[in-house]
Structure formats: C-alpha cells, structure tokens
mmCIF file of all heavy atoms in Angstrom:
data_model
loop_
_atom_site.group_PDB
_atom_site.id
_atom_site.type_symbol
_atom_site.label_atom_id
_atom_site.label_comp_id
_atom_site.label_asym_id
_atom_site.label_seq_id
_atom_site.Cartn_x
_atom_site.Cartn_y
_atom_site.Cartn_z
ATOM 1 N N TRP A 1 177.626 96.749 87.644
ATOM 2 C CA TRP A 1 176.942 95.659 88.346
ATOM 3 C C TRP A 1 175.575 96.095 88.873
ATOM 4 O O TRP A 1 174.626 95.294 88.901
ATOM 5 C CB TRP A 1 177.816 95.146 89.500
ATOM 6 C CG TRP A 1 178.066 96.165 90.590
ATOM 7 C CD1 TRP A 1 179.131 97.014 90.685
ATOM 8 C CD2 TRP A 1 177.236 96.444 91.707
ATOM 9 N NE1 TRP A 1 179.022 97.805 91.784
ATOM 10 C CE2 TRP A 1 177.871 97.484 92.450
ATOM 11 C CE3 TRP A 1 176.020 95.945 92.173
ATOM 12 C CZ2 TRP A 1 177.326 98.010 93.614
ATOM 13 C CZ3 TRP A 1 175.476 96.467 93.340
ATOM 14 C CH2 TRP A 1 176.120 97.493 94.044
ATOM 15 N N LEU A 2 175.459 97.361 89.307
ATOM 16 C CA LEU A 2 174.183 97.812 89.860
ATOM 17 C C LEU A 2 173.093 97.821 88.793
ATOM 18 O O LEU A 2 171.992 97.290 88.996
ATOM 19 C CB LEU A 2 174.356 99.213 90.455
ATOM 20 C CG LEU A 2 173.095 99.822 91.093
ATOM 21 C CD1 LEU A 2 172.583 98.941 92.218
ATOM 22 C CD2 LEU A 2 173.374 101.235 91.601
ATOM 23 N N ALA A 3 173.395 98.409 87.638
ATOM 24 C CA ALA A 3 172.413 98.414 86.545
ATOM 25 C C ALA A 3 172.124 96.998 86.070
ATOM 26 O O ALA A 3 170.973 96.649 85.770
ATOM 27 C CB ALA A 3 172.935 99.271 85.387
ATOM 28 N N PHE A 4 173.169 96.163 86.023
ATOM 29 C CA PHE A 4 172.983 94.772 85.598
ATOM 30 C C PHE A 4 172.077 94.017 86.562
ATOM 31 O O PHE A 4 171.181 93.268 86.134
ATOM 32 C CB PHE A 4 174.340 94.088 85.495
ATOM 33 C CG PHE A 4 174.258 92.620 85.168
ATOM 34 C CD1 PHE A 4 173.806 92.197 83.931
ATOM 35 C CD2 PHE A 4 174.631 91.664 86.097
ATOM 36 C CE1 PHE A 4 173.720 90.847 83.624
ATOM 37 C CE2 PHE A 4 174.547 90.318 85.810
ATOM 38 C CZ PHE A 4 174.096 89.908 84.569
ATOM 39 N N ALA A 5 172.272 94.219 87.857
ATOM 40 C CA ALA A 5 171.450 93.529 88.852
ATOM 41 C C ALA A 5 169.992 93.961 88.763
ATOM 42 O O ALA A 5 169.078 93.128 88.830
ATOM 43 C CB ALA A 5 172.005 93.792 90.249
ATOM 44 N N VAL A 6 169.761 95.269 88.592
ATOM 45 C CA VAL A 6 168.382 95.763 88.498
ATOM 46 C C VAL A 6 167.694 95.209 87.257
ATOM 47 O O VAL A 6 166.545 94.732 87.318
ATOM 48 C CB VAL A 6 168.378 97.304 88.481
ATOM 49 C CG1 VAL A 6 166.977 97.831 88.184
ATOM 50 C CG2 VAL A 6 168.867 97.845 89.815
ATOM 51 N N LEU A 7 168.382 95.235 86.121
ATOM 52 C CA LEU A 7 167.778 94.733 84.886
ATOM 53 C C LEU A 7 167.590 93.221 84.932
ATOM 54 O O LEU A 7 166.621 92.685 84.381
ATOM 55 C CB LEU A 7 168.652 95.120 83.686
ATOM 56 C CG LEU A 7 168.748 96.620 83.400
ATOM 57 C CD1 LEU A 7 169.733 96.894 82.280
ATOM 58 C CD2 LEU A 7 167.387 97.197 83.050
ATOM 59 N N LEU A 8 168.520 92.539 85.604
ATOM 60 C CA LEU A 8 168.396 91.079 85.731
ATOM 61 C C LEU A 8 167.172 90.706 86.558
ATOM 62 O O LEU A 8 166.475 89.728 86.255
ATOM 63 C CB LEU A 8 169.672 90.525 86.373
ATOM 64 C CG LEU A 8 169.948 89.029 86.167
ATOM 65 C CD1 LEU A 8 170.166 88.749 84.689
ATOM 66 C CD2 LEU A 8 171.171 88.619 86.967
ATOM 67 N N LEU A 9 166.893 91.477 87.613
ATOM 68 C CA LEU A 9 165.704 91.213 88.429
ATOM 69 C C LEU A 9 164.423 91.611 87.705
ATOM 70 O O LEU A 9 163.346 91.079 87.991
ATOM 71 C CB LEU A 9 165.808 91.983 89.752
ATOM 72 C CG LEU A 9 166.893 91.514 90.718
ATOM 73 C CD1 LEU A 9 166.967 92.441 91.928
ATOM 74 C CD2 LEU A 9 166.640 90.076 91.166
ATOM 75 N N LEU A 10 164.551 92.537 86.765
ATOM 76 C CA LEU A 10 163.365 92.973 86.030
ATOM 77 C C LEU A 10 162.853 91.889 85.084
ATOM 78 O O LEU A 10 161.641 91.813 84.824
ATOM 79 C CB LEU A 10 163.704 94.244 85.237
ATOM 80 C CG LEU A 10 162.555 94.930 84.492
ATOM 81 C CD1 LEU A 10 161.449 95.333 85.467
ATOM 82 C CD2 LEU A 10 163.072 96.153 83.724
ATOM 83 N N VAL A 11 163.747 91.033 84.590
ATOM 84 C CA VAL A 11 163.339 89.993 83.646
ATOM 85 C C VAL A 11 162.349 89.008 84.283
ATOM 86 O O VAL A 11 161.253 88.789 83.746
ATOM 87 C CB VAL A 11 164.578 89.274 83.069
ATOM 88 C CG1 VAL A 11 164.156 88.043 82.265
ATOM 89 C CG2 VAL A 11 165.381 90.216 82.201
ATOM 90 N N PRO A 12 162.679 88.359 85.433
ATOM 91 C CA PRO A 12 161.682 87.453 86.031
ATOM 92 C C PRO A 12 160.407 88.172 86.473
ATOM 93 O O PRO A 12 159.333 87.571 86.473
ATOM 94 C CB PRO A 12 162.424 86.847 87.226
ATOM 95 C CG PRO A 12 163.559 87.749 87.494
ATOM 96 C CD PRO A 12 163.937 88.341 86.178
ATOM 97 N N LEU A 13 160.522 89.455 86.845
ATOM 98 C CA LEU A 13 159.315 90.200 87.200
ATOM 99 C C LEU A 13 158.388 90.333 85.993
ATOM 100 O O LEU A 13 157.163 90.130 86.109
ATOM 101 C CB LEU A 13 159.709 91.574 87.728
ATOM 102 C CG LEU A 13 158.546 92.526 88.061
ATOM 103 C CD1 LEU A 13 157.663 91.929 89.160
ATOM 104 C CD2 LEU A 13 159.076 93.895 88.477
ATOM 105 N N LEU A 14 158.954 90.646 84.829
ATOM 106 C CA LEU A 14 158.140 90.755 83.626
ATOM 107 C C LEU A 14 157.565 89.402 83.218
ATOM 108 O O LEU A 14 156.429 89.320 82.723
ATOM 109 C CB LEU A 14 158.969 91.348 82.484
ATOM 110 C CG LEU A 14 159.369 92.823 82.636
ATOM 111 C CD1 LEU A 14 160.298 93.248 81.504
ATOM 112 C CD2 LEU A 14 158.139 93.710 82.665
ATOM 113 N N VAL A 15 158.330 88.332 83.417
ATOM 114 C CA VAL A 15 157.830 86.993 83.114
ATOM 115 C C VAL A 15 156.645 86.661 84.012
ATOM 116 O O VAL A 15 155.607 86.144 83.552
ATOM 117 C CB VAL A 15 158.955 85.954 83.258
ATOM 118 C CG1 VAL A 15 158.401 84.536 83.137
ATOM 119 C CG2 VAL A 15 160.039 86.186 82.213
ATOM 120 N N ALA A 16 156.768 86.950 85.303
ATOM 121 C CA ALA A 16 155.679 86.668 86.246
ATOM 122 C C ALA A 16 154.435 87.484 85.905
ATOM 123 O O ALA A 16 153.308 86.969 85.940
ATOM 124 C CB ALA A 16 156.143 86.965 87.667
ATOM 125 N N LEU A 17 154.632 88.759 85.540
ATOM 126 C CA LEU A 17 153.485 89.583 85.177
ATOM 127 C C LEU A 17 152.839 89.103 83.883
ATOM 128 O O LEU A 17 151.611 89.176 83.726
ATOM 129 C CB LEU A 17 153.934 91.046 85.025
ATOM 130 C CG LEU A 17 154.338 91.769 86.325
ATOM 131 C CD1 LEU A 17 154.888 93.157 86.012
ATOM 132 C CD2 LEU A 17 153.153 91.866 87.276
ATOM 133 N N ASN A 18 153.653 88.597 82.954
ATOM 134 C CA ASN A 18 153.094 88.062 81.718
ATOM 135 C C ASN A 18 152.234 86.825 81.976
ATOM 136 O O ASN A 18 151.192 86.644 81.337
ATOM 137 C CB ASN A 18 154.221 87.727 80.744
ATOM 138 C CG ASN A 18 153.727 87.017 79.509
ATOM 139 O OD1 ASN A 18 153.828 85.788 79.401
ATOM 140 N ND2 ASN A 18 153.173 87.778 78.571
ATOM 141 N N VAL A 19 152.657 85.999 82.920
ATOM 142 C CA VAL A 19 151.873 84.812 83.254
ATOM 143 C C VAL A 19 150.616 85.200 84.019
ATOM 144 O O VAL A 19 149.536 84.626 83.820
ATOM 145 C CB VAL A 19 152.738 83.836 84.078
ATOM 146 C CG1 VAL A 19 151.902 82.648 84.576
ATOM 147 C CG2 VAL A 19 153.912 83.332 83.239
ATOM 148 N N TRP A 20 150.731 86.225 84.859
ATOM 149 C CA TRP A 20 149.605 86.616 85.717
ATOM 150 C C TRP A 20 148.581 87.463 84.961
ATOM 151 O O TRP A 20 147.383 87.185 84.970
ATOM 152 C CB TRP A 20 150.144 87.375 86.933
ATOM 153 C CG TRP A 20 149.088 87.797 87.917
ATOM 154 C CD1 TRP A 20 147.930 87.132 88.231
ATOM 155 C CD2 TRP A 20 149.104 88.994 88.703
ATOM 156 N NE1 TRP A 20 147.220 87.815 89.163
ATOM 157 C CE2 TRP A 20 147.919 88.978 89.481
ATOM 158 C CE3 TRP A 20 149.995 90.047 88.849
ATOM 159 C CZ2 TRP A 20 147.610 90.001 90.381
ATOM 160 C CZ3 TRP A 20 149.686 91.047 89.737
ATOM 161 C CH2 TRP A 20 148.505 91.028 90.499
ATOM 162 N N ILE A 21 149.062 88.511 84.284
ATOM 163 C CA ILE A 21 148.153 89.392 83.539
ATOM 164 C C ILE A 21 148.689 89.533 82.105
ATOM 165 O O ILE A 21 149.215 90.590 81.723
ATOM 166 C CB ILE A 21 148.016 90.773 84.208
ATOM 167 C CG1 ILE A 21 149.395 91.322 84.651
ATOM 168 C CG2 ILE A 21 147.064 90.718 85.381
ATOM 169 C CD1 ILE A 21 149.334 92.736 85.213
ATOM 170 N N PRO A 22 148.572 88.501 81.294
ATOM 171 C CA PRO A 22 149.159 88.530 79.943
ATOM 172 C C PRO A 22 148.543 89.575 79.029
ATOM 173 O O PRO A 22 149.181 90.013 78.067
ATOM 174 C CB PRO A 22 148.890 87.112 79.420
ATOM 175 C CG PRO A 22 147.722 86.618 80.207
ATOM 176 C CD PRO A 22 147.868 87.237 81.570
ATOM 177 N N ALA A 23 147.310 89.997 79.328
ATOM 178 C CA ALA A 23 146.690 91.011 78.482
ATOM 179 C C ALA A 23 147.379 92.365 78.625
ATOM 180 O O ALA A 23 147.350 93.184 77.703
ATOM 181 C CB ALA A 23 145.206 91.128 78.819
ATOM 182 N N TRP A 24 147.990 92.618 79.780
ATOM 183 C CA TRP A 24 148.641 93.900 80.052
ATOM 184 C C TRP A 24 150.160 93.837 79.863
ATOM 185 O O TRP A 24 150.790 94.863 79.585
ATOM 186 C CB TRP A 24 148.327 94.365 81.477
ATOM 187 C CG TRP A 24 146.901 94.768 81.651
ATOM 188 C CD1 TRP A 24 145.867 93.989 82.087
ATOM 189 C CD2 TRP A 24 146.338 96.045 81.358
ATOM 190 N NE1 TRP A 24 144.700 94.687 82.096
ATOM 191 C CE2 TRP A 24 144.949 95.976 81.651
ATOM 192 C CE3 TRP A 24 146.851 97.245 80.879
ATOM 193 C CZ2 TRP A 24 144.089 97.038 81.484
ATOM 194 C CZ3 TRP A 24 145.996 98.316 80.711
ATOM 195 C CH2 TRP A 24 144.629 98.211 81.009
ATOM 196 N N VAL A 25 150.746 92.685 80.040
ATOM 197 C CA VAL A 25 152.208 92.536 79.909
ATOM 198 C C VAL A 25 152.492 91.460 78.868
ATOM 199 O O VAL A 25 152.574 90.270 79.197
ATOM 200 C CB VAL A 25 152.869 92.180 81.258
ATOM 201 C CG1 VAL A 25 154.386 92.160 81.114
ATOM 202 C CG2 VAL A 25 152.454 93.166 82.335
ATOM 203 N N PRO A 26 152.633 91.836 77.601
ATOM 204 C CA PRO A 26 152.891 90.840 76.550
ATOM 205 C C PRO A 26 154.334 90.341 76.603
ATOM 206 O O PRO A 26 155.188 90.919 77.294
ATOM 207 C CB PRO A 26 152.622 91.640 75.271
ATOM 208 C CG PRO A 26 152.944 93.042 75.634
ATOM 209 C CD PRO A 26 152.529 93.195 77.074
ATOM 210 N N PRO A 27 154.662 89.284 75.857
ATOM 211 C CA PRO A 27 156.053 88.791 75.831
ATOM 212 C C PRO A 27 157.058 89.837 75.335
ATOM 213 O O PRO A 27 158.224 89.838 75.741
ATOM 214 C CB PRO A 27 155.972 87.599 74.879
ATOM 215 C CG PRO A 27 154.548 87.154 74.927
ATOM 216 C CD PRO A 27 153.745 88.409 75.129
ATOM 217 N N THR A 28 156.588 90.731 74.455
ATOM 218 C CA THR A 28 157.512 91.762 73.934
ATOM 219 C C THR A 28 157.916 92.776 74.998
ATOM 220 O O THR A 28 158.773 93.633 74.736
ATOM 221 C CB THR A 28 156.853 92.505 72.755
ATOM 222 O OG1 THR A 28 155.544 92.951 73.137
ATOM 223 C CG2 THR A 28 156.738 91.600 71.539
ATOM 224 N N ALA A 29 157.334 92.716 76.205
ATOM 225 C CA ALA A 29 157.757 93.622 77.279
ATOM 226 C C ALA A 29 159.207 93.389 77.668
ATOM 227 O O ALA A 29 159.851 94.263 78.259
ATOM 228 C CB ALA A 29 156.853 93.447 78.497
ATOM 229 N N LEU A 30 159.751 92.209 77.327
ATOM 230 C CA LEU A 30 161.165 91.934 77.615
ATOM 231 C C LEU A 30 162.102 92.834 76.801
ATOM 232 O O LEU A 30 163.304 92.881 77.069
ATOM 233 C CB LEU A 30 161.474 90.457 77.328
ATOM 234 C CG LEU A 30 160.889 89.459 78.326
ATOM 235 C CD1 LEU A 30 161.103 88.041 77.845
ATOM 236 C CD2 LEU A 30 161.520 89.652 79.697
ATOM 237 N N VAL A 31 161.535 93.531 75.816
ATOM 238 C CA VAL A 31 162.343 94.493 75.059
ATOM 239 C C VAL A 31 162.840 95.614 75.970
ATOM 240 O O VAL A 31 163.926 96.166 75.753
ATOM 241 C CB VAL A 31 161.509 95.059 73.892
ATOM 242 C CG1 VAL A 31 162.145 96.310 73.318
ATOM 243 C CG2 VAL A 31 161.352 94.011 72.810
ATOM 244 N N LEU A 32 162.064 95.953 77.007
ATOM 245 C CA LEU A 32 162.429 97.086 77.871
ATOM 246 C C LEU A 32 163.781 96.887 78.556
ATOM 247 O O LEU A 32 164.662 97.740 78.421
ATOM 248 C CB LEU A 32 161.324 97.324 78.893
ATOM 249 C CG LEU A 32 159.954 97.734 78.301
ATOM 250 C CD1 LEU A 32 158.918 97.853 79.413
ATOM 251 C CD2 LEU A 32 160.090 99.045 77.552
ATOM 252 N N PRO A 33 164.011 95.800 79.316
ATOM 253 C CA PRO A 33 165.350 95.641 79.913
ATOM 254 C C PRO A 33 166.445 95.466 78.874
ATOM 255 O O PRO A 33 167.585 95.885 79.086
ATOM 256 C CB PRO A 33 165.198 94.396 80.792
ATOM 257 C CG PRO A 33 164.039 93.660 80.240
ATOM 258 C CD PRO A 33 163.109 94.704 79.719
ATOM 259 N N ILE A 34 166.103 94.859 77.724
ATOM 260 C CA ILE A 34 167.113 94.687 76.674
ATOM 261 C C ILE A 34 167.529 96.038 76.106
ATOM 262 O O ILE A 34 168.716 96.318 75.910
ATOM 263 C CB ILE A 34 166.559 93.768 75.565
ATOM 264 C CG1 ILE A 34 166.438 92.334 76.088
ATOM 265 C CG2 ILE A 34 167.453 93.804 74.338
ATOM 266 C CD1 ILE A 34 165.794 91.382 75.106
ATOM 267 N N LEU A 35 166.544 96.907 75.871
ATOM 268 C CA LEU A 35 166.841 98.224 75.305
ATOM 269 C C LEU A 35 167.631 99.083 76.288
ATOM 270 O O LEU A 35 168.624 99.724 75.918
ATOM 271 C CB LEU A 35 165.539 98.912 74.928
ATOM 272 C CG LEU A 35 165.654 100.282 74.254
ATOM 273 C CD1 LEU A 35 166.416 100.168 72.953
ATOM 274 C CD2 LEU A 35 164.280 100.886 74.006
ATOM 275 N N VAL A 36 167.214 99.091 77.550
ATOM 276 C CA VAL A 36 167.937 99.864 78.566
ATOM 277 C C VAL A 36 169.337 99.299 78.764
ATOM 278 O O VAL A 36 170.316 100.042 78.912
ATOM 279 C CB VAL A 36 167.152 99.878 79.884
ATOM 280 C CG1 VAL A 36 167.953 100.577 80.973
ATOM 281 C CG2 VAL A 36 165.809 100.560 79.701
ATOM 282 N N GLY A 37 169.454 97.974 78.747
ATOM 283 C CA GLY A 37 170.770 97.349 78.914
ATOM 284 C C GLY A 37 171.729 97.699 77.802
ATOM 285 O O GLY A 37 172.941 97.861 78.033
ATOM 286 N N SER A 38 171.226 97.858 76.570
ATOM 287 C CA SER A 38 172.112 98.219 75.461
ATOM 288 C C SER A 38 172.698 99.606 75.632
ATOM 289 O O SER A 38 173.738 99.922 75.063
ATOM 290 C CB SER A 38 171.334 98.141 74.146
ATOM 291 O OG SER A 38 170.317 99.127 74.113
ATOM 292 N N LEU A 39 172.046 100.449 76.434
ATOM 293 C CA LEU A 39 172.537 101.800 76.685
ATOM 294 C C LEU A 39 173.402 101.897 77.932
ATOM 295 O O LEU A 39 174.212 102.818 78.052
ATOM 296 C CB LEU A 39 171.355 102.772 76.825
ATOM 297 C CG LEU A 39 170.427 102.891 75.613
ATOM 298 C CD1 LEU A 39 169.245 103.790 75.941
ATOM 299 C CD2 LEU A 39 171.172 103.425 74.410
ATOM 300 N N LEU A 40 173.234 100.957 78.877
ATOM 301 C CA LEU A 40 173.909 101.080 80.169
ATOM 302 C C LEU A 40 174.986 100.042 80.418
ATOM 303 O O LEU A 40 175.879 100.278 81.231
ATOM 304 C CB LEU A 40 172.876 100.988 81.304
ATOM 305 C CG LEU A 40 171.779 102.051 81.346
ATOM 306 C CD1 LEU A 40 170.888 101.809 82.553
ATOM 307 C CD2 LEU A 40 172.367 103.441 81.401
ATOM 308 N N LEU A 41 174.922 98.889 79.767
ATOM 309 C CA LEU A 41 175.802 97.777 80.121
ATOM 310 C C LEU A 41 176.933 97.599 79.130
ATOM 311 O O LEU A 41 176.828 97.978 77.958
ATOM 312 C CB LEU A 41 174.990 96.485 80.205
ATOM 313 C CG LEU A 41 173.819 96.461 81.189
ATOM 314 C CD1 LEU A 41 173.133 95.110 81.142
ATOM 315 C CD2 LEU A 41 174.276 96.798 82.598
ATOM 316 N N ARG A 42 177.987 96.981 79.616
ATOM 317 C CA ARG A 42 179.063 96.554 78.744
ATOM 318 C C ARG A 42 178.621 95.319 77.957
ATOM 319 O O ARG A 42 177.686 94.630 78.345
ATOM 320 C CB ARG A 42 180.302 96.239 79.567
ATOM 321 C CG ARG A 42 180.920 97.445 80.265
ATOM 322 C CD ARG A 42 182.233 97.058 80.929
ATOM 323 N NE ARG A 42 182.899 98.206 81.514
ATOM 324 C CZ ARG A 42 182.806 98.569 82.770
ATOM 325 N NH1 ARG A 42 182.035 97.861 83.597
ATOM 326 N NH2 ARG A 42 183.445 99.617 83.235
ATOM 327 N N PRO A 43 179.310 95.029 76.845
ATOM 328 C CA PRO A 43 178.887 93.884 76.022
ATOM 329 C C PRO A 43 178.804 92.571 76.791
ATOM 330 O O PRO A 43 177.885 91.781 76.570
ATOM 331 C CB PRO A 43 179.954 93.833 74.925
ATOM 332 C CG PRO A 43 180.416 95.240 74.788
ATOM 333 C CD PRO A 43 180.375 95.805 76.174
#
C-alpha cells in the first residue's frame, strides 16, 4: 500500500507538471510510475 500510494500521488503530479511546463515533462513521463510499479506492486 505504501508504494502504491506514493506512485498513485505521482501520477497527478506528473499531469500537473505536464500542463504547467510541457516542454520539460512530456506525456511519456507517466512511464516512470508505471515502470516502477511493475517492479514493486502486485498485479
């Protein structure tokens, strides 16, 4: 649950940064929590 909560909060943060500074945070930045989640979370 702890890793899930942290990664879940990271998603809206990346969305907000993409809207605010899209040149620095592209939509593909959402790959980061997805990739980390595949290593830490249950299915």
Side-chain angles (χ1 to χ4, degrees):
W1 64 267
L2 181 59
F4 175 68
V6 172
L7 294 175
L8 200 64
L9 292 175
L10 185 59
V11 171
L13 176 61
L14 291 175
V15 172
L17 291 174
N18 173 260
V19 174
W20 182 33
I21 44 175
W24 290 93
V25 185
T28 51
L30 288 173
V31 164
L32 297 176
I34 290 175
L35 183 61
V36 175
S38 66
L39 300 175
L40 299 181
L41 302 180
R42 294 186 176 96

